[in-house]
Amino acid sequence: MAPQRFHEQFDHIQRSLPDVPLTMGPDDSAGFLYEKGVVLVRDGEEAGFVEDTVRTHFTETQGLVPDHVRRIGPQAGRTGVTRIRVGDPAEGEDTVPHALRAVREAEDRQGRRLVGRNHVVHIAPVNACPGDEPVPAPRTEPANPAPAEGGYDPGTAVGVLVVDTGLVHDHRSYPLLAHTTGDTQLTETDDHGVLRQYVGHGTFIAGLLAAVAPNTDITVRGTLNDAGAVLESEFGALLFEAVDRDGWPDIISLSAGTPSADHDGLIGLDAFMRELREQRTLLVAAAGNNGCDTPFWPAAYAALPEYADCVLSVGALRADGESGACFTNHGPWVRVHAPGERLTSALTGFVTPVPYVYQHSTYDTCRFGADYPCTCQYPRHTGVLSEGRESTGAKPDQVMFEGLAQWSGTSFATPVAAGLVAARMTAYRERDPRAAGAALLADATERAEVRGAHVPALRPPTWRPVPAVIPAVPA
C-alpha cells in the first residue's frame, strides 16, 4: 500500500463529490473509500430488517434517537439497492462499522450478506493510488503496442464498450481512432487551459484497444468523467445505462473498481452482475493498483464460480514483461497479466498541444518495495498535491502533450487483454466472446513471475518490451 499517495488522492476525490462525506477504511492505511455514516442494502424486506436491527442496536448501545437511522433516497430503482443513514456524518466517529457489526449475527443465520459500505468506485489508475501519471512520449516514439496487421470491416468488427472517461475532442485525428464513437470529455482543461487530471484516460484505452485489435467497433462512454469517481450505489445504474444505450456488446473493457472488506462482491453491482451472467458479453476488468492481494471489484468476480466464464480479471506486467509491475494487485483472483507499464498510446489527438501540471511527486524508492526502475521513481516529478512542497518552495512540474503519451496502470493492461480477445474472435471467426476468452487463456503458454507465483501472461505480438533502465524525461 502507499498511504501518502492515497491521502493525496483522497482529497482530490472528495472535491469531486462535494456533497458526499467520505472516509477511509478499514482504517487509515489506504484500503478503500466509502460514504461516511451510510450503509448500502438491497431494497425491500432486507432494507426494512436492516433498518430495524441497526435502529434497535444504536438505541440500546449508543443512545441515538431512532430517527437517526432511516432510509435516504432516491433509491436506485433497477439496481435494487437503497442507502440507510446510520449516523450523523458531521460527527467525528464514523458509525458504519458499528452498523455492520449489528447485522453480522443475522447475516450468519441467513447465510447471506445483507449490508455493506457504500464504496467509492474509481478508475484503476486513480484507485486512490495511481499507477502513475502520463508523460509525453518522444516525438519519434511509436505506439506500443504497435498497430496489428489487418483492417477494419464494419460487417465483422467486434463490438467493445469502454466504460471510462470520455474521448478528447480531437481523438479522430489519431488514425487508429478514426471510427471510434462515444461520449466526449465534458471538460478537458481548467480555467488556465491546463489539462485536468485523468482527462484522456478513456482515449488512451481506446487507442490501445484499436492497436491490438483493429477490427473493432469501439464505443467509449464517459461514465466516469467526474474525476473517475462514483458511489457504488450509483455505479450499477450507470453500467445499466451504458449497455441500454448501445446494447450489450461483445466485450466490456472496464478499468474501474474498488477494494472491499467483503469477499462476495458489491451489493450495488448485484443486479448488473446477475444480468451480465445471462448475456453473452465478456467483462474484462482491471485488477487495480494497490500492490496487494486484496480483491478489487468487479475484477474479483472472476474468482467466483458463477462468474468465472463471464469476467476476466487483468493485472499488469512491468515494462520488460518479465514480471508483475510494482503497483499491480495480485492473487488467485487475477486470471491473467498483460503489459501495463510505460505503454504508449494517444492521450490527446494531434490538433492542439495542451499543458499538464503533475499532481503527485515521484518517490526516492518504490512505494511498493520493488527493486527495479519503476514508475514510482522515474521520470522524476514534483506534484501539486505532495505533502511538504509548499515548505520547500518547490514548484510543480509542467509538460506539454501533443499526441502520444506513456502511461502505466492495470487500467491499460485491461484493454490490451480485451484487444487480444477481440483479435482472436476475428482470427478464428469466433462470435462468442466468452469462448474466445477461455480459448485465449487455455492457449496461453507464457508465464510471468508475480510476487513469487508463476502466472499466465498475455503479450501482444506487436508489443515491444522496454528495458528496465531509467528512462529519459522528454524535452
Side-chain angles (χ1 to χ4, degrees):
M1 294 288 189
Q4 177 181 330
R5 186 67 62 85
F6 182 85
H7 283 265
E8 292 172 1
Q9 196 62 28
F10 173 83
D11 294 337
H12 179 79
I13 292 176
Q14 179 64 86
R15 287 194 298 271
S16 75
L17 299 170
D19 299 325
V20 181
L22 301 179
T23 190
M24 304 178 186
D27 47 40
D28 209 28
S29 64
F32 45 79
L33 305 179
Y34 63 95
E35 186 178 12
K36 187 177 181 181
V38 169
V39 295
L40 195 62
V41 300
R42 300 173 189 87
D43 204 7
E45 291 184 6
E46 287 189 7
F49 174 81
V50 168
E51 192 175 13
D52 291 342
T53 301
V54 173
R55 181 182 292 115
T56 299
H57 172 78
F58 279 0
T59 301
E60 294 176 351
T61 65
Q62 304 284 321
L64 298 175
V65 296
D67 191 50
H68 279 166
V69 180
R70 63 186 185 279
R71 295 185 218 190
I72 51 178
Q75 278 80 41
R78 186 172 173 185
T79 62
V81 297
T82 189
R83 295 154 63 230
I84 295 180
R85 175 76 67 199
V86 295
D88 184 356
E91 296 180 357
E93 182 184 13
D94 178 45
T95 53
V96 167
H98 300 292
L100 296 177
R101 285 194 293 270
V103 184
R104 290 306 180 215
E105 184 177 342
E107 290 180 326
D108 292 340
R109 289 197 304 269
Q110 295 195 21
R112 177 180 181 179
R113 185 160 57 95
L114 303 175
V115 61
R117 292 174 172 86
N118 192 16
H119 299 86
V120 176
V121 178
H122 25 69
I123 55 178
V126 179
N127 192 22
C129 193
D132 73 344
E133 293 178 84
V135 297
R139 291 178 181 271
T140 57
E141 181 83 15
N144 187 22
E149 294 183 0
Y152 168 67
D153 174 15
T156 61
V158 177
V160 183
L161 173 64
V162 175
V163 180
D164 208 86
T165 63
L167 294 159
V168 294
H169 73 280
D170 56 352
H171 70 276
R172 289 181 183 272
S173 61
Y174 183 55
L176 288 179
L177 299 180
H179 61 270
T180 297
T181 60
D183 303 326
T184 55
Q185 180 76 34
L186 295 179
T187 307
E188 295 184 8
T189 59
D190 62 18
D191 294 340
H192 304 287
V194 176
L195 196 68
R196 292 181 180 272
Q197 197 176 18
Y198 310 118
V199 167
H201 188 260
T203 305
F204 197 93
I205 285 173
L208 293 171
L209 259 164
V212 176
N215 192 32
T216 45
D217 273 325
I218 301 172
T219 301
V220 179
R221 290 297 169 209
T223 304
L224 298 170
N225 262 332
D226 191 3
V230 65
L231 287 173
E232 176 187 336
S233 56
E234 302 171 5
F235 188 49
L238 290 171
L239 290 175
F240 272 128
E241 181 181 307
V243 297
D244 286 348
R245 183 172 178 179
D246 304 296
W248 286 87
D250 295 309
I251 299 169
I252 297 175
S253 180
L254 179 62
S255 295
T258 177
S260 173
D262 300 305
H263 296 283
D264 57 353
L266 303 177
I267 288 177
L269 285 188
D270 271 358
F272 180 81
M273 294 304 297
R274 285 197 304 271
E275 187 157 336
L276 170 72
R277 195 170 55 199
E278 301 305 315
Q279 303 294 328
R280 56 187 294 277
T281 299
L282 177 67
L283 173 63
V284 185
N289 304 319
N290 275 331
C292 70
D293 60 1
T294 302
F296 186 83
W297 305 91
Y301 280 99
L304 303 182
E306 62 268 38
Y307 294 105
D309 68 331
C310 58
V311 180
L312 178 62
S313 49
V314 187
L317 298 175
R318 72 188 210 183
D320 63 8
E322 295 300 317
S323 57
C326 66
F327 52 78
T328 189
N329 285 347
H330 51 89
W333 56 275
V334 183
R335 299 286 302 281
V336 74
H337 288 70
E341 187 176 61
R342 296 196 174 101
L343 300 181
T344 305
S345 183
L347 182 75
T348 69
F350 296 101
V351 176
T352 307
V354 59
Y356 179 74
V357 176
Y358 285 98
Q359 302 298 302
H360 303 282
S361 296
T362 42
Y363 291 67
D364 293 331
T365 58
C366 175
R367 65 187 189 269
F368 301 104
D371 59 0
Y372 74 98
C374 63
T375 56
C376 296
Q377 306 167 75
Y378 310 106
R380 304 296 296 177
H381 300 144
T382 297
V384 173
L385 300 176
S386 298
E387 299 172 3
R389 181 183 62 81
E390 294 182 359
S391 63
T392 63
K395 293 184 178 180
D397 293 330
Q398 179 172 311
V399 293
M400 186 71 69
F401 284 107
E402 48 184 332
L404 298 183
Q406 288 184 342
W407 211 344
S408 304
T410 59
S411 267
F412 311 123
T414 298
V416 170
L420 287 171
V421 175
R424 186 179 181 96
M425 292 178 67
T426 295
Y428 289 87
R429 298 183 180 179
E430 173 64 71
R431 301 316 302 167
D432 183 345
R434 297 179 183 179
L440 186 69
L441 290 184
D443 292 346
T445 58
E446 296 185 1
R447 292 293 185 269
E449 191 276 327
V450 180
R451 303 297 175 106
H454 287 83
V455 300
L458 298 175
R459 301 179 180 93
T462 61
W463 168 77
R464 304 180 311 280
V466 179
V469 297
I470 300 173
V473 178

